[in-house]
Amino acid sequence: MYERYSYGKPQRTFSTGLPIGVMLFAFVVIGGYLVIGSAIVNDSNQTAAVVLPTPVASLSK
């Protein structure tokens, strides 16, 4: 139906440059946020503790 009313107009072409550029920009911003945030929060005196739950005796008949 589009060809019937085109009257010699050039066919539309779509560019993917803008969406890809926005996506790459978002990756760079998120990566920078994570790197800068980890550098600010990085504390050499920080330790991690793992706490395991105590097992409960099962009731079997």
Side-chain angles (χ1 to χ4, degrees):
M1 183 167 179
Y2 177 72
E3 290 84 16
R4 187 184 321 167
Y5 300 108
S6 66
Y7 300 113
K9 294 180 183 175
Q11 188 176 8
R12 289 184 177 182
T13 57
F14 297 101
S15 175
T16 58
L18 180 65
I20 291 175
V22 169
M23 189 171 51
L24 290 176
F25 179 72
F27 286 158
V28 169
V29 168
I30 292 170
Y33 172 77
L34 292 174
V35 168
I36 292 171
S38 68
I40 291 173
V41 175
N42 193 8
D43 185 13
S44 61
N45 297 329
Q46 201 172 29
T47 59
V50 177
V51 180
L52 299 173
T54 56
V56 178
S58 62
L59 300 173
S60 60
K61 292 184 180 182

